[in-house]
């Protein structure tokens, strides 16, 4: 693999007072003899002059900032011995990460630059191999999200590329914000209930049989209307054509053991 050298301009000699290291890329047009003999070698994917922001994951080990003059680079100030990740972002949302080790004398070592996959803390977008994610993407924690240029969709989402199926992506800004949901969910009114299968697709126009209690009713049969919401009262045609089942108004549950809840005629 072709390598690109990033040279270190060192100042100071001991970690006790911190050591500032200015990192320049080879493409910054600075001559090698302007620097110390120590250098970092990273993969060719890192082009320092393109970046606009930098973040150190463990700020107790080092701090970092972008510098623009006299040459484009990153100024890293070592604070304590250890290893930390440095994330470098450009204005298109593309992120590289560099694992930097601060030695006891304050000098730095780094591995190859790695294209970032994961959440970008700068603008709360998600990247895959350094690029903003698009479409269905499984996160590093295992949840599924739908992204447009790295931005997560939330709430009800109709995927026209999946036969127009509806999905629900968590709206609350918690740890699962934007994550595709499965199973039973209730809307914000507390009155409408929906069922999402194991692939996240909203089921509709059919009976659902569950052997476990739902969040709002007992195990048994529930009818999902055309818009996916559980029918909460009245009669609905059963799984056997021509037979109708009466749905309990309080929670939409059908009692299959009650003969009074069966009929061979439409009663509405």
């Amino acid at each position: 693999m072709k390598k690109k050298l990033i040279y270190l301009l060192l100042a100071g000699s001991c970690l006790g007072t911190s050591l500032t290291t200015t990192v320049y890329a080879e493409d910054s047009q600075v001559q090698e003899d302007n620097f110390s003999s120590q250098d970092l070698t990273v993969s060719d994917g890192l082009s320092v002059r393109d970046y606009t922001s930098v973040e150190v994951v463990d700020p107790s080990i080092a701090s970092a900032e972008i510098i623009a003059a006299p040459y484009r680079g990153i100024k890293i100030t070592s604070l304590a011995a250890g290893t930390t990740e440095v994330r470098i972002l450009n204005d298109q949302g593309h992120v590289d990460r560099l694992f930097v080790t601060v030695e006891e004398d304050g000098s730095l070592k780094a591995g190859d630059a790695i294209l970032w996959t994961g959440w970008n803390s700068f603008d709360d977008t998600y990247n895959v191999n350094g690029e903003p994610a698009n479409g269905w993407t499984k996160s590093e924690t295992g949840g599924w999200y739908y992204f447009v240029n790295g931005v997560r969709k939330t709430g009800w989402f109709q995927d026209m590329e999946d036969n127009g199926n509806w999905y629900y992506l968590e709206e609350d800004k918690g740890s699962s914000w934007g994550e595709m949901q499965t199973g039973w969910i209730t809307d914000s009114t507390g009155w409408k209930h929906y069922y999402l299968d194991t692939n996240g697709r909203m089921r509709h126009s059919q009976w659902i049989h569950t052997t476990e209690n739902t969040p709002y009713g007992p195990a048994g049969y529930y009818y999902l209307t055309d818009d996916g919401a559980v029918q909460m009262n009245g009669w609905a045609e059963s799984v056997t054509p021509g037979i109708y089942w009466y749905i309990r108004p309080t929670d939409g549950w059908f009692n299959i053991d009650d003969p009074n809840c069966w009929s061979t005629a439409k009663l509405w």
Side-chain angles (χ1 to χ4, degrees):
M1 176 186 293
K2 181 181 177 183
K3 297 289 186 180
K4 175 178 292 185
L5 295 182
I6 288 187
Y7 303 100
L8 303 180
L9 181 60
L10 303 178
S13 59
C14 65
L15 196 60
T17 57
S18 80
L19 183 65
T20 298
T21 301
T22 305
V23 183
Y24 297 100
E26 187 177 41
D27 59 13
S28 64
Q29 300 178 355
V30 181
Q31 298 300 312
E32 182 176 355
D33 56 14
N34 288 44
F35 301 89
S36 84
S37 59
Q38 184 179 1
D39 62 49
L40 285 174
T41 303
V42 299
S43 65
D44 194 51
L46 187 65
S47 179
V48 172
R49 64 182 176 185
D50 292 336
Y51 291 100
T52 55
S53 302
V54 63
E55 176 188 66
V56 179
V57 172
D58 188 345
S60 68
I61 292 177
S63 63
E65 62 182 297
I66 296 288
I67 56 174
Y71 304 101
R72 191 70 172 164
I74 306 167
K75 184 169 72 173
I76 301 176
T77 300
S78 56
L79 302 175
T83 298
T84 185
E85 180 182 333
V86 178
R87 299 175 184 175
I88 315 164
L89 174 75
N90 69 12
D91 56 8
Q92 281 77 49
H94 301 173
V95 178
D96 281 348
R97 51 182 180 163
L98 191 66
F99 287 93
V100 173
T101 298
V102 178
E103 303 291 356
E104 290 294 340
D105 64 357
S107 60
L108 275 76
K109 293 182 179 179
D112 287 349
I114 303 171
L115 291 174
W116 174 246
T117 292
W119 293 106
N120 176 359
S121 59
F122 291 100
D123 57 7
D124 205 33
T125 57
Y126 195 85
N127 289 270
V128 176
N129 294 328
E131 300 287 336
N134 279 287
W136 289 108
T137 303
K138 192 174 186 179
S139 73
E140 293 176 303
T141 57
W144 283 94
Y145 296 77
Y146 193 92
F147 295 103
V148 177
N149 294 325
V151 178
R152 74 187 104 196
K153 300 282 287 184
T154 61
W156 285 108
F157 166 66
Q158 187 176 24
D159 188 353
M160 301 310 296
E161 295 183 0
D162 183 31
N163 299 316
N165 280 302
W166 285 92
Y167 296 81
Y168 182 74
L169 311 173
E170 181 59 60
E171 292 181 274
D172 291 340
K173 291 187 176 181
S175 58
S176 60
W177 182 33
E179 186 174 343
M180 183 192 77
Q181 301 298 294
T182 61
W184 293 98
I185 64 169
T186 301
D187 73 0
S188 57
T189 68
W191 289 100
K192 287 194 172 185
H193 312 291
Y194 302 86
Y195 181 76
L196 312 171
D197 66 19
T198 55
N199 294 312
R201 297 183 180 97
M202 183 193 76
R203 305 285 286 273
H204 63 91
S205 309
Q206 65 184 103
W207 286 94
I208 288 291
H209 179 238
T210 175
T211 57
E212 298 179 353
N213 292 342
T214 74
Y216 54 87
Y221 288 88
Y222 294 84
Y223 186 73
L224 306 176
T225 60
D226 290 347
D227 68 358
V230 173
Q231 183 171 321
M232 298 298 288
N233 58 67
W235 295 81
E237 189 167 21
S238 76
V239 293
T240 303
I243 301 296
Y244 298 89
W245 290 349
Y246 181 74
I247 296 167
R248 188 164 68 182
T250 54
D251 53 18
W253 177 67
F254 165 66
N255 183 1
I256 197 169
D257 296 320
D258 185 350
N260 294 320
C261 293
W262 292 65
S263 175
T264 58
K266 293 184 179 181
L267 301 179
W268 66 92

